[in-house]
Every structure is written in C-alpha cells, then in structure tokens.
Amino acid sequence: MPSSSTTLISKCTIYPDQKSTMKTLKLSVSDLPMLSCHYIQKGVLLSAPPYSFDNLILSLKQSLSAALSHFPALAGRLYTDADGYVHILCNDAGADFIHAKAKHLTLNAVVSPSLVDVHPSFKEFFAYDMTISYSGHHQPLAAIQVTELADGVFVGCTVNHAVTDGTSLWHFFNTFAAITKGGGGGAAKKILRSPDFTRDTVFNSAAVLSVPAGGPTVTFDADEPLRERVFHFSREAIQRLKQKANCNEFPDSAEVMGKQVNDGWKTVNGNVNGKITPVVNGNRRNEISSFQSLSAQLWRSVTRARKLNSTKTSTFRMAVNCRHRLEPKMDSFYFGNAIQSIPTVASVGDILSRDLRFCAELLHQNVVAHDDATVRRGVEDWEKAPRLFPLGNFDGAMITMGSSPRFPMYDNDFGWGRPLAIRSGKANKFDGKISAFPGREGNGSVDLEVVLAPETMAGLENDMEFMQYVTLAV
C-alpha cells in the first residue's frame, strides 16, 4: 500500500465483466517453485492524460474489468486440495484497484537524467509490497495501482509469481492498455491474441510440493542495504560489445548486427570446438548474441567490483522462456510460468584474467544447449525432489538475470502515448539481481536495472571497461 509520502485516495475490488466458465488451473512444475517469491511488480510511467483523473480512474476500472474476463485466472485465488496440489480457482473473486496521489513529484524529478539511482518513490507505487506468492490463497492474485503525479501518472501492475511469468504479465498489461485505448467497451473488449490456458504440457506433473507449515518464506534478506540503478545501452554500444565478443571474425559486422542486434533470446544449433562462426545470408550458426555479450560484460565487471578471491566460483543465472524450446512448441501466449533458470559457472580468476569472449561463449553455449531435452530433464529433476526456487545471492558471487529486453513493455499505450519509462517495485530484489528492459528508443537498445550492495555498485560505476558502453537514455 502507499506510504506516508504517497496518499491513498481509494481502494476497491474490480470483478470481471463476464462470469468465468474456466475450470480450475493446476499449478505446474514451473509455477510451484515461485510460491516463495514475491509478487512481480512492474509498471509504466506516463505523461498526464488529456482528460481529468476522475475520468481516467473510471476508464481504467472499466478496462481492467474487461481485461480480467480474458484473464480469469488473475481474478481468482489459490487453493490447495486434500492431496497437496495447488490450483488457481477461477472464481471471479476479483483484483484490487488502488488510486493514489504523489502530487509533490514531477516526471522530471523521478526520471531526470541527473538522477543516478532509481528514485525511491517507485517503490511506493505498487500494491502487495513484499507479499509472498503463497499468500494468493487468501489475497487477490493481481492489483493495479494508479498513482497521480504533478504532471504525469504511474500505472503499477502487481501479479502473483506462481500464476504468471514475465511473458504472461506483459500480455495481460498490453491487453489492459489496449482495451483502455480503445475506449474500454464494445469492440475494445476484443483482443488480438487470447491467452492459452492449456494445462497438458510437459510442465504438468503428478509431483507434490511439500510446503512448510504456515507457508514458505523468501530465501534472501529483503532488508539488506542495496543500491538500484538503471544503466542504458544504445544499439551502437551493444554492437561494439557484440563485435568484441565475436572477435570481429565475420565480415560486414555492422550490417549483420543491424539485423541481429535484438536477438538476445534467439538460439542456434551446434557448437564446433568453441569456434565462433559468422552469420552469412541470414543464417545464424554459432554467433554470440547481443544480449549474451552485454551479460558477459556485466558478469566481468560486477565480479571485479566485488573484489572476490580468484579461486572462488561465480554463478550467472539467466531466466529463459521455454515456450519455443519444447517440441512441439508451446503456444507463445501460454498463460503461466514457462521458464527455467540456466546457471553458468566460472572461477573468478578465469572471469577476470580472460577476455570478454570467454564469459560470453560460456553463456552462449548454455543458452544454445537449453533445448527440448534439457527442458524435460529439468522437469524430471524437479519431480524427483520438488522444491521452492532458491532466489538470492547465497555466496556473495552470484548474479541473477531476469525479465527480457524482448518483452513489449513500451507497447502499453493507454491512449495518449507510449510510456516514458519502465520501473519495478521492491519485489525480489537482492545483491546481484538484474532485470533487462528494452530501451525506450527501441532498435535493439537495452536498459539494465542493476541491484547491488552499495560498495559493489560504487565499484561498478568506476569500472571504465563497463561504463564506456553506458549512455544517456533518449
């Protein structure tokens, strides 16, 4: 709920405008581990609407009601049956809608180029602060908080992480925005792509997750001191990194990278003795991607800033979407979690003494190898020992990359223009948690939301190998 510096104006429950006919949805092998994670909190900063805020609030309530009819799971609640299986009960119990004001804040104050760290006010612009997803048994699974600024508005979306991953979250958010832009009713209620609620995938399982009495707790210290900063990387900067990671071994690199600059989550087959081969006539063979190159540079620089012993092992975890990795492929709009975490490990000594390509190729090889068989092995491994997801930095040398620069975050036009910025709340943040967003100008640019211990952040800011690629956002 809003803090003392953000004033609560109203709170209500919004119900779907049509009764749900959907049966219960059993949580999958990919959903269940998230029960110990916080609700996801993501939102968009917008300029002021061209009409009164009273009209805006009414419009958003109507649009949310229509959107929930397309996403009935988000208007439901969790329940655990007698056999220990957790389900989403699509019972039209509704989602929360909160109207708040922070009229002392201007757009320039919260996203000024002169602002180094993320403005602390954004942490007040979301519901269910620090709420664990298991709480969905008795709390709504989604909430929208609309915060009025002096000259703008922030729309914060909070969703239960055991119910959605980033792909599903942004599908819902895009739908909510599109319905609002269309006027909230009639033809506006029709959406281009409906969510797929199929529950006959490889992630469905007979395994039961044993939950501690009273429910799970987060696996990291949510009160540790942290700094949070968004670093912007232009297309040109990322091209330079990609060129460096691929060692300039292919001709006409500028043209190639122009085509492939936003291929961070695309994969290719084959890895011939670690040799990087070029992209020729549009065929991606074994090229290290833009996003892998950027991630490798971050891994190197954060590791250096942490001043770790050279013999220590560092782990870079990367969340990957499994929808397109399975055979047959899942629907790209499958609703739920369809993600797995890929850990890549290396010694601190190797990370720092070898070049960028070393880290980049390790990441690349692991992403390429995460195919249908690997996804299925991961499911089988979990079924043998069902467990909650251990989110955190347990040995001081871990980095966890979440979200994706390919998510359509800036497609949330509510009717008066694209978002000015994307921001998140307090949820699931710890030393080494990174979230990747697309840059506002698009074209392959990337924003990294970096959360680090204060002393590590200071070291990263003084790392010229890293900072040479950082640019001011447009």
Side-chain angles (χ1 to χ4, degrees):
M1 292 298 295
S3 76
S4 57
S5 61
T6 301
T7 306
L8 173 67
I9 304 301
S10 65
K11 177 183 176 182
C12 65
T13 301
I14 301 297
Y15 303 97
D17 65 1
Q18 298 178 32
K19 292 289 186 181
S20 172
T21 59
M22 185 169 294
K23 299 177 181 179
T24 61
L25 301 172
K26 184 180 174 185
L27 294 193
S28 75
V29 164
S30 190
D31 298 321
L32 290 167
M34 303 303 175
L35 286 169
S36 62
C37 298
H38 291 143
Y39 277 54
I40 307 174
Q41 297 175 322
K42 294 290 188 293
V44 296
L45 183 67
L46 302 159
S47 60
Y51 43 81
S52 73
F53 264 83
D54 287 342
N55 287 339
L56 172 64
I57 295 302
L58 179 61
S59 173
L60 291 175
K61 287 179 178 179
Q62 292 173 341
S63 300
L64 178 58
S65 178
L68 289 172
S69 291
H70 294 288
F71 293 81
L74 291 178
R77 299 291 185 270
L78 299 181
Y79 87 99
T80 301
D81 66 22
D83 296 318
Y85 296 114
V86 185
H87 305 256
I88 306 169
L89 180 61
C90 301
N91 60 355
D92 298 321
D96 277 348
F97 186 95
I98 298 161
H99 177 199
K101 286 188 178 182
K103 296 295 288 286
H104 61 292
L105 294 172
T106 64
L107 294 172
N108 187 62
V110 297
V111 290
S112 169
S114 63
L115 195 65
V116 177
D117 287 4
V118 172
H119 198 286
S121 64
F122 288 109
K123 294 179 173 61
E124 304 173 10
F125 295 168
F126 295 91
Y128 311 154
D129 203 20
M130 312 300 273
T131 300
I132 296 172
S133 292
Y134 188 81
S135 301
H137 281 80
H138 56 83
Q139 287 196 201
L141 301 181
I144 296 293
Q145 179 176 320
V146 182
T147 305
E148 182 180 353
L149 309 183
D151 56 351
V153 59
F154 189 85
V155 181
C157 182
T158 303
V159 294
N160 190 295
H161 207 338
V163 174
T164 68
D165 59 11
T167 298
S168 294
L169 162 69
W170 290 108
H171 185 199
F172 168 70
F173 212 150
N174 292 163
T175 302
F176 173 40
I179 292 175
T180 305
K181 183 176 182 179
K189 293 183 181 180
K190 297 179 181 178
I191 62 175
L192 292 177
R193 288 298 303 265
S194 297
D196 172 37
F197 293 102
T198 301
R199 287 299 184 267
D200 60 356
T201 74
V202 66
F203 290 110
N204 270 36
S205 172
V208 176
L209 173 66
S210 179
V211 177
T217 57
V218 292
T219 56
F220 57 91
D221 180 4
D223 297 318
E224 67 177 326
L226 297 168
R227 279 186 60 196
E228 179 180 342
R229 180 171 174 180
V230 174
F231 294 97
H232 178 71
F233 301 87
S234 67
R235 172 192 174 186
E236 291 72 25
I238 296 176
Q239 284 181 342
R240 297 202 316 270
L241 267 170
K242 183 177 180 181
Q243 198 167 12
K244 185 177 179 181
N246 285 288
C247 300
N248 301 317
E249 289 189 9
F250 50 90
D252 200 9
S253 60
E255 178 182 353
V256 169
M257 285 183 288
K259 295 177 181 177
Q260 302 294 329
V261 70
N262 200 26
D263 64 355
W265 296 105
K266 295 178 182 178
T267 59
V268 293
N269 294 319
N271 179 43
V272 184
N273 299 322
K275 181 180 179 181
I276 304 301
T277 55
V279 174
V280 179
N281 297 326
N283 293 319
R284 290 174 287 105
R285 282 183 273 175
N286 203 31
E287 184 190 35
I288 296 172
S289 77
S290 306
F291 193 67
Q292 292 155 9
S293 304
L294 177 58
S295 296
Q297 183 59 67
L298 180 76
W299 191 10
R300 281 171 56 82
S301 295
V302 169
T303 300
R304 182 160 43 234
R306 283 173 166 166
K307 300 179 180 178
L308 303 168
N309 189 291
S310 63
T311 60
K312 192 173 183 64
T313 297
S314 175
T315 303
F316 191 106
R317 285 193 169 272
M318 184 178 290
V320 295
N321 183 359
C322 298
R323 289 168 175 81
H324 62 284
R325 298 175 187 277
L326 285 164
E327 294 296 341
K329 292 179 173 58
M330 297 171 67
D331 190 295
S332 58
F333 288 94
Y334 166 84
F335 184 88
N337 286 277
I339 54 176
Q340 289 181 336
S341 179
I342 301 178
T344 302
V345 299
S347 72
V348 170
D350 280 341
I351 292 169
L352 299 184
S353 66
R354 304 184 69 171
D355 60 12
L356 176 70
R357 179 176 172 177
F358 169 75
C359 289
E361 191 161 351
L362 287 179
L363 295 171
H364 170 74
Q365 289 172 348
N366 267 349
V367 170
V368 170
H370 209 84
D371 56 8
D372 175 80
T374 308
V375 173
R376 293 176 187 275
R377 282 197 301 271
V379 171
E380 292 169 1
D381 176 66
W382 190 90
E383 288 176 321
K384 292 174 184 175
R387 55 204 178 274
L388 296 163
F389 186 68
L391 197 62
N393 178 15
F394 306 110
D395 61 2
M398 299 180 72
I399 295 174
T400 299
M401 176 69 76
S403 197
S404 169
R406 306 193 78 182
F407 288 157
M409 302 181 188
Y410 284 97
D411 291 356
N412 288 292
D413 182 349
F414 285 83
W416 64 94
R418 296 170 66 245
L420 305 174
I422 309 297
R423 291 292 183 267
S424 61
K426 294 181 183 178
N428 300 312
K429 288 186 175 173
F430 50 86
D431 176 25
K433 175 63 186 297
I434 318 296
S435 296
F437 304 154
R440 187 176 188 272
E441 70 268 32
N443 199 29
S445 61
V446 174
D447 286 339
L448 291 183
E449 179 192 77
V450 178
V451 180
L452 293 171
E455 61 275 13
T456 305
M457 183 69 83
L460 182 64
E461 291 170 333
N462 288 315
D463 189 309
M464 289 302 101
E465 184 180 280
F466 178 78
M467 293 301 294
Q468 67 176 310
Y469 299 105
V470 177
T471 56
L472 288 176
V474 175

